[in-house]
Amino acid sequence: MTAAALLAEWEMVVGLEVHVQLKTRTKVFCTCSAEFGAPPNVNTCPVCLALPGALPVLNAKAVELATRAALALNCSVQPISVFARKNYFYPDSPKGYQISQFDKPLALDGFVEIGARADQSPIRIGVTRVHLEEDAGKSIHDRFTGVTAIDLNRSGTPLIEIVSEPELRSVEQVGAYLRVLKQIIEYIEVSDVSMEEGSLRVDANVSARRRGDTALGTRTEVKNLNSFSGVERALEVEFARQVEVLAAGGTVLQQTMLWDAGAAAVRPSRSKEGSHDYRYFPEPDLPPLILSIAWIAKMRKDLPELPAARRARFVTDYALGAYDVDVLTANSRVAEYFESVARAHGDAKAAANWVMGEVLAQLKAAGQDISSFRVRPADLAQLLDLVSGGVVSHIAAKQIFTRMVATGDSPGQLAEREGLIKVDDEAQLAAWLDEVIADMPGEAARYRAGETRLQGVLIGAAMKKSKGRADPKKLNQLLAARLGS
């Protein structure tokens, strides 16, 4: 039996634990800066260093952001939640425990819908819980030869852990879930969700069972995943390993696995802990977190428009296709930029084409976020007005846009200054055509003989002669009159 045929007999079952660092100015239980990139061990104090007598004080902003995230994930926020000590002993955890939440978390019973394009029915993946906790420090293994260094700047930064139900059945579903989750978190602005900076981290629990079985198999947890593609690849490798073990009559051990991206392999790290191994008990230095029903209701009311709702509205309000809607709503700031252009210009499809084309291409080339983009929505709308009004050609508009990106000047000023106002004077247009016919006599003769596909070649050459200023409609009319059979 081939490897593919063997894998087809088994089903992958995945549940994810996603850790998201909240976008607060300070840490969750002290006033140390939560800034990324500071020199090692600068952002520390007696609380996050766990010095004797130091007591935690809960960061109200972290509670607000965590609640917003839980509501956006359709969870039921609990009026009373309790912090607990999760006991484990790692060098980068100076207390010997982590302050987290266990049996009474912040929020329960949510869901995320994947595959929710305008032209597809969504699949609902349950979210078991969302809880608040603090991050550990960072162990650095490659700074000094033979020595592991500890940086405690990250110790105590606020996290939410988003735990899914084991309802994901393929790496494609896993990738879709993570991308939707990241998009929602970005829309509500509770985190930078940067995997490069560690503000979004994924632990994946995976098991294998024969297709048709309903009981869950023994799971392993794959850690050390620093990209969505890495999560997908690691799950493929670990699932194949488990299937090989089970098909040979072996037993999968419940353990934590580390993903080695360079070797494209998983390797055991330690036996997988259960909740009893952490010896949870209520944190004695923090009272229960009590949230009023009215405050939770206000937080729900204050949620911004979420991606799914915005996609549906773009279809209705702007009559755009599924592909355009997905591209334009992938990022909330891009969506807002598009809407501003569309409203000011009036032609949503033209606005969509320019934002998806020229705008996103410029942002990608510059590695830039649209929030700092030099071309304001009102100026792009004005440029589109010049095109639709026949003042400049589409080719000239692209040249003007490039100058707008470079200078920040308005399109009207640039069109005048660069001499890109559309030329529709027949004498001038005829002169440019005469030059093209003289330069390209063979193509002109073949066009006259009926090879009409050369029309675009000749018109393109004339537009180049005019530096994009010629009226292409009149050029086509003159060419047909001059050389048409």
Side-chain angles (χ1 to χ4, degrees):
M1 182 184 295
T2 66
L6 178 61
L7 289 174
E9 294 183 355
W10 296 79
E11 182 177 51
M12 176 187 291
V13 179
V14 176
L16 298 178
E17 299 169 9
V18 180
H19 297 83
V20 175
Q21 182 177 327
L22 300 175
K23 192 161 57 175
T24 58
R25 186 177 57 83
T26 56
K27 295 183 180 182
V28 66
F29 297 123
C30 66
T31 58
C32 288
S33 170
E35 172 196 11
F36 175 82
N41 298 307
V42 168
N43 296 335
T44 56
C45 73
V47 175
C48 49
L49 291 175
L51 298 185
L55 295 175
V57 177
L58 182 58
N59 185 331
K61 185 66 174 179
V63 175
E64 178 185 322
L65 296 181
T67 302
R68 189 189 304 175
L71 292 170
L73 297 174
N74 304 291
C75 291
S76 173
V77 174
Q78 304 301 292
I80 300 176
S81 58
V82 174
F83 287 97
R85 290 189 179 183
K86 180 181 181 182
N87 294 276
Y88 62 90
F89 301 95
Y90 285 172
D92 54 17
S93 180
K95 291 195 292 286
Y97 61 87
Q98 176 192 33
I99 300 178
S100 182
Q101 292 183 318
F102 178 51
D103 58 335
K104 293 185 178 179
L106 177 72
L108 298 166
D109 301 328
F111 64 86
V112 169
E113 290 186 332
I114 63 175
R117 289 173 48 126
D119 57 349
Q120 292 179 348
S121 297
I123 300 170
R124 182 169 290 189
I125 306 299
V127 172
T128 311
R129 56 190 278 141
V130 175
H131 65 256
L132 258 171
E133 62 185 21
E134 63 178 342
D135 206 349
K138 184 178 181 182
S139 297
I140 302 171
H141 305 292
D142 56 0
R143 183 74 58 86
F144 306 104
T145 303
V147 175
T148 292
I150 302 297
D151 179 6
L152 294 176
N153 279 344
R154 199 171 70 185
S155 177
T157 54
L159 300 178
I160 51 172
E161 183 173 342
I162 303 165
V163 182
S164 82
E165 290 289 315
E167 295 175 347
L168 297 157
R169 296 291 180 264
S170 67
V171 293
E172 292 78 18
Q173 287 190 2
V174 168
Y177 172 88
L178 289 172
R179 288 172 178 85
V180 169
L181 191 66
K182 181 175 184 286
Q183 186 186 47
I184 292 171
I185 297 300
E186 286 178 326
Y187 260 65
I188 60 177
E189 298 184 324
V190 303
S191 173
D192 295 326
V193 287
S194 168
M195 297 193 84
E196 294 79 9
E197 296 182 2
S199 56
L200 188 151
R201 305 196 296 276
V202 181
D203 296 335
N205 293 282
V206 57
S207 62
R209 65 185 179 190
R210 287 200 178 274
R211 293 198 177 275
D213 288 353
T214 56
L216 295 175
T218 301
R219 65 188 172 95
T220 59
E221 182 180 35
V222 186
K223 289 182 175 287
N224 201 30
L225 303 172
N226 56 14
S227 69
F228 290 168
S229 60
V231 174
E232 294 167 347
R233 183 67 183 124
L235 287 173
E236 286 178 339
V237 171
E238 173 59 10
F239 175 65
R241 184 193 73 83
Q242 290 188 18
V243 167
E244 185 178 356
V245 169
L246 294 169
T251 301
V252 173
L253 300 178
Q254 182 170 314
Q255 56 189 335
T256 296
M257 315 293 287
L258 293 181
W259 169 242
D260 185 335
V266 291
R267 55 182 175 82
S269 170
R270 62 180 187 272
S271 61
K272 178 74 177 89
E273 298 91 343
S275 59
H276 61 279
D277 295 309
Y278 292 120
R279 295 176 291 113
Y280 283 100
F281 64 89
E283 168 57 64
D285 294 329
L286 288 168
L289 174 60
I290 301 175
L291 306 175
S292 73
I293 300 299
W295 185 84
I296 295 172
K298 182 180 184 304
M299 292 295 296
R300 188 187 304 277
K301 181 181 177 182
D302 290 345
L303 279 178
E305 185 178 41
L306 297 177
R310 182 165 283 177
R311 284 194 295 270
R313 184 170 61 79
F314 274 22
V315 171
T316 302
D317 290 359
Y318 301 114
L320 297 174
Y323 175 79
D324 290 4
V325 168
D326 284 344
V327 173
L328 292 171
T329 60
N331 178 284
S332 63
R333 288 181 292 276
V334 170
E336 290 159 6
Y337 185 97
F338 156 74
E339 282 209 90
S340 296
V341 177
R343 287 169 179 162
H345 174 56
D347 184 340
K349 182 58 178 173
N353 289 341
W354 274 81
V355 172
M356 293 190 299
E358 279 70 23
V359 172
L360 292 185
Q362 286 284 349
L363 294 175
K364 183 177 180 181
Q368 185 181 8
D369 185 89
I370 201 164
S371 59
S372 57
F373 191 45
R374 207 165 199 173
V375 179
R376 295 168 299 181
D379 287 338
L380 179 56
Q382 184 186 346
L383 177 61
L384 300 189
D385 289 343
L386 295 178
V387 175
S388 62
V391 179
V392 301
S393 70
H394 190 73
I395 292 174
K398 290 190 174 184
Q399 297 177 50
I400 294 169
F401 179 77
T402 300
R403 295 297 298 151
M404 291 167 69
V405 173
T407 66
D409 292 343
S410 73
Q413 291 175 327
L414 287 166
E416 292 279 359
R417 191 166 71 223
E418 304 288 334
L420 292 172
I421 302 295
K422 187 186 289 184
V423 174
D424 58 6
D425 176 70
E426 289 197 8
Q428 179 60 70
L429 297 175
W432 282 325
L433 276 178
D434 287 342
E435 290 181 34
V436 169
I437 292 169
D439 293 343
M440 308 173 72
E443 288 83 351
R446 287 159 56 198
Y447 174 77
R448 182 181 284 114
E451 201 171 330
T452 56
R453 67 183 179 83
L454 290 171
Q455 181 175 355
V457 174
L458 296 169
I459 293 297
M463 291 299 296
K464 188 173 182 181
K465 289 275 186 189
S466 74
K467 298 181 179 177
R469 293 178 296 152
D471 183 332
K473 184 177 179 180
K474 284 197 172 183
L475 269 183
N476 275 286
Q477 293 170 347
L478 287 173
L479 180 66
R482 185 71 59 89
L483 299 180
S485 56

